[in-house]
Amino acid sequence: MDRPVVAVILAGGTGSRLYPASRSDRPKQFLALGDPDDDRSLLARTAARTGFADATLVATRPEFADEVPEHAPDAEVVVEPAGKDTGPAILYATHRAREAVDGDPVVVVLPADHHVPDGDAFETTMARGAHVAADTDRLVAFGVEPTRPATGYGYIEPGDERTGDERTGDGSAVDYRELAAFHEKPDADSVARYVDAGYYWNAGIFAWTPAALFREARDTPLGPLADALDGDDPDPEAGFAAVDPVSIDYAVMEHAERAAVVPAAFAWDDLGAWDALDRVLDADADGNVVAGGAETLAVDAADNVVAADGKHVSLVGVEGLCVVAYDDRVLVVPKEQAQRVRDAVDRLKESGQF
């Protein structure tokens, strides 16, 4: 492809569902989770997967900016004027990507908290998606084939198949499907239908040209920010002040007139909640998974997730729990309700204890 590619890593959130390992001053992207043989942080592992790009940007909040170079030393740090969810962050980082390289780039957006064991397959898929974005002028979402009927993910309904005449570096055709619709975190009955119908998980990974994203963002809640960034005298502070927090999915992708989905040809998991460790780590004979340097004693205990910063945790007669101990905090939650940790964090934030 004759256009440069810029990878944008989103590293501005705190990761409330991974409390208490993740706290207001210790966001999840700086934690080493999900691989006992790799002591690098989630952000460092993500940055290492950007070999397909000509430049890498890390978008983060002001309070995290100074620590980013420790995890991604070769990346440029883009500091968001304010933390307002993924919509404003991505639009601003895409604007900044135009300054990172010579020529009009294609931008590939990557969350910092994903588990991707096959980096080569990942890079090949990202390059293919970048080709589709450049050749079709569409917003590209990468869809993961579901391995289970998960209600915690959004789903992408694919449309008609398309095959481009362009070829990627490995000689394969630039294939994609039109993006028919997004379905955000549906109920269990809907999820079962979606999986049977061949819908994809929305991995939150995207590719586009800056012009395509700004075109699709103008008549959305992100319009004021798009206007503030795309003029002769960009004013990101005023633009951020003019918009409310909103995700890129709700603000832009769900309403985009020209969008595509590229199937993800790699294994993937979202390390967004403690139950994810049950899927990516090896369990003992009783199905218990241990992470974070914890020592455990299990007596008639099965199918639990234990994570701790070197602490000893004893389990007796329990099953299906996440037991997490970091610093002076302990969390106990059923694995099937791991997404609800955010409810506890909301209360902790209200009292200034997060």
Side-chain angles (χ1 to χ4, degrees):
M1 188 170 63
D2 59 358
R3 299 178 67 163
V5 177
V6 177
V8 169
I9 301 174
L10 301 178
T14 56
S16 58
R17 290 171 295 167
L18 289 175
Y19 169 86
S22 183
R23 302 277 293 275
S24 59
D25 60 347
R26 186 178 58 208
K28 65 179 176 181
Q29 55 267 27
F30 297 151
L31 301 175
L33 293 172
D35 189 341
D37 299 320
D38 191 343
D39 60 0
R40 293 176 300 173
S41 68
L42 295 176
L43 174 56
R45 294 177 209 167
T46 305
R49 291 195 293 270
T50 61
F52 61 88
D54 299 288
T56 300
L57 309 182
V58 177
T60 192
R61 299 183 188 184
E63 57 265 37
F64 304 147
D66 290 343
E67 193 171 347
V68 167
E70 298 177 23
H71 304 267
D74 297 327
E76 179 183 345
V77 181
V78 173
V79 181
E80 305 159 22
K84 290 196 169 183
D85 212 329
T86 60
I90 288 174
L91 194 64
Y92 180 51
T94 298
H95 161 72
R96 291 288 301 275
R98 293 180 290 195
E99 306 168 356
V101 290
D102 294 328
D104 189 19
V106 178
V107 176
V108 176
V109 179
L110 310 172
D113 59 350
H114 290 177
H115 175 74
V116 180
D118 188 345
D120 290 341
F122 176 83
E123 291 190 17
T124 298
T125 304
M126 294 303 103
R128 182 170 292 114
H131 271 274
V132 173
D135 295 342
T136 69
D137 200 34
R138 294 174 182 263
L139 306 186
V140 173
F142 292 85
V144 173
E145 185 174 349
T147 58
R148 63 191 185 281
T151 58
Y153 295 152
Y155 285 73
I156 296 173
E157 179 181 348
D160 294 337
E161 293 184 353
R162 302 292 186 201
T163 300
D165 295 329
E166 182 71 23
R167 296 277 166 173
T168 63
D170 64 1
S172 57
V174 181
D175 298 334
Y176 66 94
R177 299 186 69 170
E178 292 188 356
L179 198 158
F182 275 86
H183 302 272
E184 281 300 311
K185 297 181 175 62
D187 58 35
D189 290 340
S190 297
V191 162
R193 295 197 306 272
Y194 295 165
V195 172
D196 288 342
Y199 290 13
Y200 296 105
W201 280 336
N202 174 18
I205 305 173
F206 305 103
W208 44 57
T209 66
L213 178 61
F214 274 78
R215 178 195 70 225
E216 298 286 356
R218 291 208 180 276
D219 191 23
T220 76
L222 293 177
L225 178 57
D227 291 339
L229 294 175
D230 216 19
D232 293 333
D233 187 17
D235 190 347
E237 287 77 14
F240 267 74
V243 297
D244 293 324
V246 64
S247 73
I248 196 70
D249 304 277
Y250 285 116
V252 178
M253 294 303 298
E254 289 188 0
H255 313 289
E257 293 185 4
R258 292 181 55 81
V261 57
V262 170
F266 52 85
W268 173 90
D269 210 308
D270 176 12
L271 296 180
W274 288 113
D275 62 319
L277 297 184
D278 200 31
R279 300 187 295 269
V280 303
L281 296 179
D282 293 332
D284 65 18
D286 296 316
N288 297 309
V289 166
V290 180
E295 296 181 41
T296 60
L297 171 65
V299 180
D300 296 328
D303 300 323
N304 300 290
V305 172
V306 180
D309 53 355
K311 294 182 174 64
H312 191 285
V313 178
S314 296
L315 304 174
V316 181
V318 297
E319 62 179 280
L321 297 179
C322 296
V323 181
V324 186
Y326 278 78
D327 304 325
D328 59 342
R329 304 291 180 90
V330 178
L331 168 77
V332 180
V333 61
K335 285 195 298 186
E336 71 230 19
Q337 298 189 50
Q339 300 290 330
R340 294 192 60 198
V341 172
R342 180 178 287 158
D343 297 340
V345 169
D346 288 342
R347 296 195 183 189
L348 290 168
K349 287 181 177 178
E350 291 174 0
S351 59
Q353 295 180 291
F354 180 64

